Amino acid sequence: MPEIVTVETSPFEGQAPGTSGLRKKVKVFQQPNYAENFIQSVFDVVGPQSDSVLVIGGDGRFHNRTVIQQAIRMAAGNGYARVIVGQGGILSTPAASHVIRKYGADGGLVLSASHNPGGPDEDFGIKYNIANGGPAPESVTGAIYDRTKTIDRWLTVETPDIDLDRLGEVNVGDLVVQVIDPVADYADLMEELFDFAAIRKIVTSGFTMRFDAMSAVTGPYATAILEGRLGFAPGTVVNGIPLEDFGGHHPDPNLIHAKELYDLMMSDAAPDIGAASDGDGDRNLIIGRGRFITPSDSLAMLAANIQVAPAYHGRLTGIARSMPTSAAADRVAEALGVPCFETPTGWKFFGNLLDAGMATICGEESAGTGSDHVREKDGLWAVLLWLNILAARGISVDQLAHEHWDRFGRNYYARHDYEGIETAGADALMNGLKTGLATLPGQVFGPLTVSVADSFSYTDPVDGSVSANQGIRVLFEDGSRIVFRLSGTGTQGATLRVYLERYEPPFGRLDAETGDMLAPQIAAAEQIAGIVAHTGRTAPDVVT
Ligand code: VG1
Ligand code: CO
């Protein structure tokens, strides 16, 4: 008989069921019944059957092993047939997505707070992915949220911890727990998608790279694939051992947190390409020698060239990007004669498009790129696609970027984040924007005239579901754009994101400084939203 424990509070207290499941401080997760409440609410909503299979894995951050043991006991208490768990409790988010699909699991628990810092005083997170390998859609996350508010018991079994480090199968009551190699299935998939022989060839001829795993989950994956299967020199992967606190850093692959890599890539000692990934391995940073590629540009450049990769030849059906991502990909879609979908922020909105075969490649401005090979964004996949394209085309990152801009024009782009601001001020700013929307068209801000202003609402073309309030868009007559939205993944106060974009046509100013090019949009953003007055900040905390 499963042991039954009663619960009182909802784990979502103070956080709407956002883009990435439940994210809180470790201390919050350590409260009695807390993680259990969330996990039981998931199980109550999905209703496991006697043949149900659950995948469990995380990014190895502090508290990962504890929650995995809790989840295994609860899976046994709730009647699952089998749990598949990565050795050491490790599965990168894209690898978890692949494992769910490959083994036909009913779903999976993905334990991560992504790019947020880890450690006893930092962040932890849990989300549920469905059978297609992707994050649960809003209908499911909404039901989980509702369940957490009424749940009054959770089910578990009394059993000692299982040995997560030993490969193979063990029984917990009637449940079979299978500990698998977290890397092998994923590495095999990558080798099916890309032309590893072509990449090995340029490596042999002296092509060099640095991959910064940021002491997070991609270390073992990158070492096995880049150094192991592709023959890059030992030491190509740096910070390759996953640490529970990521060495005290933010495992966020942007120019601030991966500054060492950036500095190297801008120096005389730069290898041909530099790349990094985040805490759970779903984000990517791409920097060529002397050339940073914005994630929005990366999506467009990859989409324009994806057909050189064996698995994508002749089968690009569509491109999808999140709304705040720049329109660079739209121009590629237009040129290739395929549709471009604009979705709300968060990978779960790509799931239906990918399942329906309407989109092949997807991306977000926040360093997320991926395709229909899994149902999560995939950091290493993006790096390997870049390598495949460079190998097949025989050009450098900088050459590819210039070739692209000469053909499609350049979307100068930046995101300004104001982190940990007071929730009241953030809400007042967004409400002020909403109330003033109707008066914006026609207004002039320096050289810019507003053409359209709206609050983004998305109707899923596959199931017709509507997601409203997904950010404020202000479009200008010259084609530039400002977007305002609040983060759904922060764990402290509110985070305001301001997305700035300006289009420069082919043969225009293609080599200017982004900050200079976006100065009018930055000034307009302040005038339109009153950022200083509402946040008390005179400058953003992070510019990416
Ligand atoms: C951020 C990004 C979003 C991304 C999400 C999860 O969300 O902006 O593009 O999908 O993180 O990424 P928000 O709501 O804070 O802006 V990860 O790497 O946490 O899975
Ligand atoms: Co992530």
Side-chain angles (χ1 to χ4, degrees):
M1 253 316 269
E3 188 190 350
I4 297 176
V5 185
T6 55
V7 290
E8 286 127 36
T9 56
S10 164
F12 278 113
E13 211 72 20
Q15 181 204 335
T19 47
S20 309
L22 183 63
R23 270 189 208 178
K24 295 281 185 187
K25 293 285 167 204
V26 166
K27 293 269 185 308
V28 175
F29 269 100
Q30 286 171 328
Q31 297 172 93
N33 293 342
Y34 188 85
E36 292 90 338
N37 181 345
F38 179 81
I39 295 167
Q40 185 63 51
S41 297
V42 170
F43 293 165
D44 284 348
V45 166
V46 302
Q49 308 292 308
S50 58
D51 59 351
S52 293
V53 178
L54 180 73
V55 170
I56 307 179
D59 62 9
R61 68 179 59 223
F62 184 83
H63 207 50
N64 192 44
R65 284 173 182 261
T66 309
V67 174
I68 288 179
Q69 300 288 356
Q70 287 171 335
I72 289 172
R73 289 190 187 95
M74 291 180 65
N78 279 273
Y80 274 94
R82 178 178 289 265
V83 158
I84 300 174
V85 58
Q87 188 177 28
I90 293 283
L91 277 176
S92 78
T93 294
S97 183
H98 177 54
V99 168
I100 292 171
R101 295 164 66 81
K102 177 166 178 173
Y103 295 95
D106 295 73
L109 289 172
V110 181
L111 313 182
S112 170
S114 192
H115 53 288
N116 294 11
D121 296 315
E122 299 296 351
D123 294 350
F124 194 77
I126 311 184
K127 69 173 177 179
Y128 182 72
N129 282 22
I130 57 175
N132 74 352
E138 283 192 337
S139 53
V140 177
T141 56
I144 295 169
Y145 175 58
D146 290 341
R147 181 63 189 146
T148 66
K149 293 188 288 189
T150 55
I151 185 177
D152 54 6
R153 59 89 185 89
W154 51 271
L155 310 173
T156 188
V157 296
E158 280 277 6
T159 179
D161 282 358
I162 74 141
D163 183 354
L164 290 174
D165 296 310
R166 217 174 64 221
L167 293 174
E169 295 188 356
V170 292
N171 275 74
V172 174
D174 292 336
L175 173 77
V176 179
V177 180
Q178 181 184 358
V179 179
I180 62 164
D181 178 336
V183 174
D185 292 315
Y186 177 85
D188 290 348
L189 174 66
M190 293 302 119
E191 194 153 0
E192 281 165 31
L193 300 178
F194 301 118
D195 188 348
F196 273 30
I199 302 172
R200 270 195 294 267
K201 212 162 145 196
I202 57 166
V203 174
T204 313
S205 355
F207 183 94
T208 53
M209 123 172 246
R210 173 171 291 187
F211 182 90
D212 190 341
M214 305 193 85
S215 306
V217 81
T218 44
Y221 296 86
T223 308
I225 296 171
L226 298 174
E227 297 182 13
R229 299 194 187 199
L230 291 171
F232 280 101
T236 294
V237 177
V238 298
N239 301 314
I241 311 282
L243 302 175
E244 286 200 327
D245 67 348
F246 308 120
H249 301 293
H250 283 241
D252 191 351
N254 61 31
L255 300 185
I256 287 88
H257 298 300
K259 189 169 183 308
E260 231 178 84
L261 178 70
Y262 178 75
D263 289 345
L264 171 74
M265 294 311 297
M266 297 303 136
S267 77
D268 291 340
D272 291 295
I273 189 169
S277 190
D278 72 331
D280 62 330
D282 58 1
R283 297 187 178 203
N284 73 90
L285 169 70
I286 301 290
I287 315 178
R289 183 181 284 139
R291 171 63 60 194
F292 162 62
I293 303 293
T294 69
S296 293
D297 269 352
S298 182
L299 171 65
M301 292 168 190
L302 292 178
N305 291 281
I306 193 168
Q307 313 231 15
V308 306
Y312 299 94
H313 185 75
R315 59 168 211 90
L316 180 74
T317 59
I319 304 174
R321 64 164 173 87
S322 68
M323 182 273 281
T325 304
S326 94
D330 304 33
R331 295 176 193 283
V332 174
E334 204 189 331
L336 298 179
V338 297
C340 187
F341 300 92
E342 185 177 29
T343 61
T345 294
W347 208 261
K348 65 183 172 193
F349 292 103
F350 295 133
N352 279 345
L353 295 171
L354 293 167
D355 283 351
M358 294 164 77
T360 308
I361 181 171
C362 311
E364 295 192 277
E365 51 64 41
S366 54
T369 334
S371 85
D372 56 2
H373 68 292
V374 290
R375 292 294 180 275
E376 289 277 2
K377 53 189 184 268
D378 189 342
L380 260 170
W381 172 89
V383 174
L384 293 167
L385 179 53
W386 265 99
L387 290 174
N388 194 155
I389 291 168
L390 298 179
R393 304 268 331 268
I395 57 177
S396 72
V397 174
D398 186 52
Q399 282 167 338
L400 189 122
H402 277 96
E403 172 200 274
H404 190 94
W405 295 332
D406 285 344
R407 177 170 174 204
F408 297 101
R410 179 172 178 185
N411 291 68
Y412 286 92
Y413 190 87
R415 186 179 94 186
H416 289 190
D417 292 336
Y418 300 80
E419 295 178 341
I421 57 178
E422 276 177 32
T423 310
D427 290 342
L429 183 148
M430 292 305 288
N431 288 333
L433 280 170
K434 267 177 226 158
T435 344
L437 273 182
T439 64
L440 277 173
Q443 281 195 46
V444 176
F445 299 93
L448 303 171
T449 306
V450 177
S451 55
V452 182
D454 66 4
S455 171
F456 180 59
S457 175
Y458 177 67
T459 305
D460 188 301
V462 178
D463 65 17
S465 61
V466 177
S467 305
N469 280 319
Q470 299 295 323
I472 300 292
R473 297 190 290 195
V474 183
L475 310 177
F476 299 95
E477 281 175 2
D478 69 346
S480 64
R481 183 182 75 155
I482 307 173
V483 172
F484 302 89
R485 63 176 281 280
L486 298 183
S487 157
T489 63
T491 57
Q492 235 164 4
T495 292
L496 169 70
R497 304 201 196 284
V498 183
Y499 309 82
L500 308 139
E501 177 181 356
R502 166 180 179 172
Y503 177 64
E504 189 68 16
F507 307 108
R509 295 172 62 195
L510 298 179
D511 256 317
E513 285 297 322
T514 299
D516 296 342
M517 293 299 279
L518 292 175
Q521 286 73 18
I522 294 170
E526 171 56 30
Q527 279 178 281
I528 292 170
I531 301 169
V532 179
H534 282 112
T535 67
R537 306 279 173 81
T538 51
D541 299 278
V542 181
V543 176
T544 51

